Amino acid sequence: MNVLRDLSKRAAVRPAHIVLSEGTDPRIVAGALAAVQAGTARITLVGAYDDVTAQLVAAGATESPTLRIQDPATSALTAEFADAYFALRQHKGVSHEVAETQAHDPLVFAAMMVRLGHADGTVGGAVATTGDTVRAALQVIGKAKEAPLVSSFFLMVLPENHPSGRDAMIFGDCGLVIEPTSEELAAIAVASAASCQQLLGVEPKVALLSFSTMGSARHGSVTRVSEAAALLRANHPDLKADGELQFDAAFAPEVAATKAKGSAIAGHANVMIFPNLDAGNIGYKIAQRIGGAVAIGPVLQGLAKPANDLSRGCVAEDVTNMIAVTALQATA
């Protein structure tokens, strides 16, 4: 798909160093090799050295200047990471003994490589749960100082020659924040709009989604969305955003013409902000499984440095695509 090819080509202009915490998984290895071959990134695979090496050999590859292995059990970095983890978490009652154990955890080791500047970004979650993957990112890398919260989005790449004329869209938050407040919805919208500009290079047009369009229904959940839209208008007047909107009114011009007359973005939205995690998770999976969209994510936004999560049902191509996204976040 053109969008995916463009992501890879743009990342290859300034290849970042991406560390993969699950280097013994064959999907991770295959995805990493494809990224290295495309010049998208330099890669470090984290895991037991012999096990990672065996996976590389099985794939017809070996360690190289652009594809390294770090084994937390033998790495010269592990002691440094244990000290850093202790300094970071001792206020939470973490002992140095626990910090030493945590430094051997591949998720923590990879995140610490990013925190301390040994890598530009990290990707995990092919084996680990989202909870464990995100927890390591939050505890070790941490939230960016200027970000109100850490949230996530999916980059939804639509089938080529889609009738809507769109190539790709941003769906947020479909992976992290369960029941966002109005203030959090507004913050997710701002972050997702910035991600749209960064990854797709197009002007974001943000729709705050609901089961109501412009007051067609009354409910507390509708009010929460409309209040978020009001916050965006007040605090980010230059951002093209509207709500509350039903998905069809946000997506289809012919529906917008009757349901949302006068809206600047209705019918043309490319950033869809879902009212809660139930709706977001269901929505992106319907678009993926029935609509044929490629779903890349959940991509985290609001962290101090890039760290992203894969689905445990991912394939090698998903890994390669997420490496490109993470590399672009790192070099923005």
Side-chain angles (χ1 to χ4, degrees):
M1 294 182 178
N2 291 333
V3 171
L4 300 178
R5 287 193 294 270
D6 181 64
L7 289 175
S8 179
K9 288 180 180 179
R10 286 169 54 209
V13 173
R14 294 168 58 199
H17 179 192
I18 306 301
V19 55
L20 307 179
S21 57
E22 297 158 332
T24 59
D25 187 282
R27 299 167 295 172
I28 295 292
V29 171
L33 289 173
V36 169
Q37 185 175 10
T40 302
R42 293 174 288 116
I43 299 293
T44 292
L45 298 169
V46 176
Y49 187 86
D50 289 346
D51 293 340
V52 178
T53 300
Q55 289 292 341
L56 287 174
V57 170
T62 59
E63 198 172 1
S64 71
T66 54
L67 184 67
R68 297 293 193 184
I69 301 172
Q70 282 284 355
D71 183 348
T74 59
S75 174
L77 298 174
T78 305
E80 175 191 1
F81 291 177
D83 290 342
Y85 191 88
F86 174 68
L88 187 65
R89 302 292 296 170
Q90 62 178 321
H91 72 287
K92 292 289 188 179
V94 172
S95 67
H96 203 283
E97 182 180 13
V98 170
E100 289 176 344
T101 299
Q102 287 295 96
H104 285 79
D105 181 290
L107 285 170
V108 173
F109 187 96
M112 197 61 79
M113 282 188 69
V114 177
R115 178 182 176 86
L116 298 184
H118 297 286
D120 301 313
T122 181
V123 175
V127 179
T129 64
T130 291
D132 288 343
T133 305
V134 173
R135 188 179 304 111
L138 288 172
Q139 290 182 350
V140 176
I141 297 173
K143 183 177 73 66
K145 291 181 179 180
E146 70 277 7
L149 80 166
V150 176
S151 61
S152 76
F153 68 90
F154 276 81
L155 174 58
M156 305 299 295
V157 181
L158 304 185
E160 290 190 28
N161 302 314
H162 194 273
S164 69
R166 294 171 176 82
D167 294 321
M169 304 175 69
I170 299 292
F171 280 14
D173 181 340
C174 303
L176 191 57
V177 184
I178 297 174
E179 285 288 347
T181 64
S182 296
E183 292 78 10
E184 289 171 335
L185 276 175
I188 291 167
V190 172
S192 298
S195 295
C196 174
Q197 182 71 59
Q198 179 187 60
L199 293 179
L200 300 180
V202 297
E203 182 182 30
K205 298 177 181 178
V206 182
L208 292 111
L209 300 178
S210 173
F211 65 85
S212 169
T213 294
M214 304 300 190
S216 65
R218 295 182 181 275
H219 190 272
S221 62
V222 176
T223 301
R224 183 164 49 89
V225 175
S226 62
E227 287 177 348
L231 287 170
L232 286 178
R233 285 190 289 269
N235 298 326
H236 301 275
D238 295 332
L239 178 63
K240 289 187 177 179
D242 211 347
E244 80 280 4
L245 293 168
Q246 292 164 289
F247 185 89
D248 57 355
F251 186 78
E254 65 274 16
V255 178
T258 58
K259 285 188 175 182
K261 293 178 180 179
S263 172
I265 64 94
H268 303 283
N270 53 16
V271 179
M272 302 292 187
I273 304 301
F274 290 83
N276 59 31
L277 193 56
D278 278 333
N281 185 272
I282 292 167
Y284 100 77
K285 287 179 177 175
I286 289 174
Q288 178 186 38
R289 299 299 178 180
I290 296 179
V294 174
I296 303 172
V299 182
L300 302 183
Q301 51 191 6
L303 289 169
K305 295 181 179 181
N308 288 317
D309 183 27
L310 293 160
S311 166
R312 282 177 287 170
C314 70
V315 297
E317 186 178 5
D318 298 325
V319 178
T320 305
N321 291 334
M322 186 64 92
I323 290 170
V325 167
T326 309
L328 287 171
Q329 287 181 311
T331 57

